[in-house]
Amino acid sequence: MGKITGCCSEENHPNSRRNVLKAALSLTALGVIGGAGLGLPQISYAAALTREERDKLTPDQILEGLEQGNKRFVSGKMQQHDFLAQKRSTVEGQFPAAVILSCIDSRAPIEIILDTGIGETFNARIAGNISNDDLLGSLEFACAAAGAKVVLVMGHTSCGAIKGAIDNVKLGNLTGLLNKIKPAIEETQFNGEKSGSNEHYVDAVAKTNVKNTMDDIRKNSEILNKLEKEGKIKIVGSMYNLNGGVVDFFM
């Protein structure tokens, strides 16, 4: 979607940048340690996100935090999370800022890709990042009951589920799942070989499939559709590039 603006300052003072980063990521800092990632000081995060911190953030600020987390992942300068401390601080409750619907692919562990800590995001994973009634219920819980403000649907390049749908694979219960992807095949405009062996075509279908999942969420969940129209949440799509690690966001 390009760079999301509205929460990050270009100020050069380290403390100002630290405060902006804390707001964008919705985390509490234990302290600044040596080194810097993407021009920002690294922070060792010990405490998990509180309700008050999460509720102060807008959907755009949360998206900016996720985008910055991916940039740190790509650069190899991720934050130093104290996961044990985060675990302890979430025992009594959780206040994630986003819910992410992604694929089960082992190469796309979303919490790592976006450099998030324990208690920051709800995560739902299913082959081909499709939507169904059970997943919609989970997304509704995350937003309407638990207060998350972003629904992020994430596909990825070289997706095996997309390849399977294109090649009309039949395999037990997987067959029905792949059928949910097939509308994206018909809707994808592509000049070139349309087969599961053409990675460019597979990736084009994968992006269409993400958009279809977003549409399905809006169409089949009155709760999430209403929250989005009221500006309380944003439903956003993205594609994770296995080669390079960049996540491309789009509306």
Side-chain angles (χ1 to χ4, degrees), residues 35-75:
L38 301 171
L40 299 172
Q42 284 189 324
I43 295 175
S44 177
Y45 289 112
L49 183 61
T50 67
R51 183 194 299 273
E52 291 74 20
E53 288 169 336
R54 192 271 312 280
D55 289 350
K56 288 179 181 177
L57 295 170
T58 66
D60 281 340
Q61 287 175 319
I62 293 165
L63 284 166
E64 173 68 16
L66 297 176
E67 183 175 343
Q68 291 300 320
N70 178 243
K71 289 181 178 179
R72 291 193 303 277
F73 169 74
V74 172
S75 72

Side-chain angles (χ1 to χ4, degrees), residues 8-239:
C8 286
S9 169
E10 294 299 323
E11 296 175 7
N12 292 320
H13 193 280
N15 288 332
S16 296
R17 289 193 171 206
R18 180 178 70 172
N19 291 335
V20 168
L21 185 59
K22 284 174 64 179
L25 292 179
S26 314
L27 291 169
T28 302
L30 174 64
V32 178
I33 60 176
L38 301 171
L40 299 172
Q42 284 189 324
I43 295 175
S44 177
Y45 289 112
L49 183 61
T50 67
R51 183 194 299 273
E52 291 74 20
E53 288 169 336
R54 192 271 312 280
D55 289 350
K56 288 179 181 177
L57 295 170
T58 66
D60 281 340
Q61 287 175 319
I62 293 165
L63 284 166
E64 173 68 16
L66 297 176
E67 183 175 343
Q68 291 300 320
N70 178 243
K71 289 181 178 179
R72 291 193 303 277
F73 169 74
V74 172
S75 72
K77 298 177 179 178
M78 299 168 72
Q79 300 297 341
Q80 296 191 15
H81 297 278
D82 186 338
F83 291 115
L84 290 178
Q86 291 173 6
K87 172 186 69 67
R88 289 191 292 268
S89 68
T90 54
V91 170
E92 300 300 327
Q94 60 170 339
F95 308 101
V99 55
I100 304 169
L101 173 56
S102 60
C103 183
I104 65 168
D105 196 290
S106 65
R107 301 164 294 177
I110 191 60
E111 298 96 327
I112 297 174
I113 291 166
L114 297 178
D115 191 17
T116 60
I118 294 174
E120 288 187 52
T121 61
F122 289 107
N123 299 284
R125 300 184 70 175
I126 185 170
N129 43 271
I130 63 165
S131 173
N132 60 31
D133 289 347
D134 295 326
L135 285 168
L136 283 176
S138 296
L139 301 182
E140 290 170 349
F141 165 78
C143 295
K149 298 182 181 180
V150 169
V151 176
L152 179 64
V153 180
M154 180 174 291
H156 65 92
T157 58
S158 301
C159 180
I162 301 297
K163 293 179 183 179
I166 292 171
D167 293 338
N168 200 32
V169 168
K170 305 289 186 181
L171 179 64
N173 292 308
L174 179 63
T175 304
L177 187 153
L178 297 182
N179 286 339
K180 293 179 179 293
I181 297 173
K182 289 184 177 179
I185 299 172
E186 301 172 1
E187 297 168 17
T188 298
Q189 301 296 316
F190 186 83
N191 293 321
E193 179 189 355
K194 297 181 178 180
S195 74
S197 61
N198 185 341
E199 295 294 337
H200 295 293
Y201 179 58
V202 171
D203 295 348
V205 174
K207 185 172 183 178
T208 302
N209 184 59
V210 168
K211 293 179 178 179
N212 282 356
T213 297
M214 295 165 64
D215 290 341
D216 287 342
I217 292 170
R218 294 183 175 111
K219 177 182 177 181
N220 296 314
S221 173
E222 294 182 6
I223 291 173
L224 296 176
N225 192 11
K226 183 174 184 290
L227 288 173
E228 185 179 41
K229 288 180 177 178
E230 293 173 346
K232 295 178 179 178
I233 69 169
K234 278 196 171 182
I235 300 173
V236 180
S238 60
M239 282 289 293

